[in-house]
């Protein structure tokens, strides 16, 4: 991921996302193992019992300093509505970084 962005970055994960991965069970055990990596920074969230998608959208609306990495198309659709928050996903074994929305002053 750092090679793709050409910058130093710290992967972060919220408590709600960790809880949802744990609830999904053995089907997502590889994702859970990656998320528990000590190089990932754990972000405590104030929401209790909400969906991980709602937690992430609330977090990026409050602090617009994140690049959200997800392969969930519905979550990407929600993130595109927030100006100034780029989205990154994996497609055909390659990282893809979407342009920032023009509403935030990105180049046209």
């Amino acid at each position: 991921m750092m090679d793709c962005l050409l910058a130093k970055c710290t992967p972060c994960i919220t408590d709600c996302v960790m809880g949802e991965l744990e609830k999904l069970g053995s089907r997502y055990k590889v994702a859970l193992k990656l998320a528990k990596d000590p190089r990932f920074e754990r972000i405590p969230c104030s929401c209790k019992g909400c969906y991980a998608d709602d937690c992430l959208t609330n977090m990026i609306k409050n602090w617009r300093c994140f690049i959200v990495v997800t392969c969930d198309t519905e979550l990407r659709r929600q993130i595109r509505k927030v100006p100034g928050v780029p989205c990154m996903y994996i497609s055909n074994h390659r990282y893809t970084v979407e342009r920032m929305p023009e509403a935030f002053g990105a180049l046209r």
Side-chain angles (χ1 to χ4, degrees), residues 16-43:
C16 289
V17 174
M18 284 297 289
E20 194 167 301
L21 281 174
E22 289 169 354
K23 286 179 189 174
L24 289 172
S26 63
R27 185 173 177 193
Y28 292 92
K29 68 180 178 182
V30 174
L32 183 62
K33 187 175 180 180
L34 280 171
K36 288 184 177 180
D37 190 311
R39 292 175 288 186
F40 278 58
E41 183 178 325
R42 191 86 177 258
I43 299 177

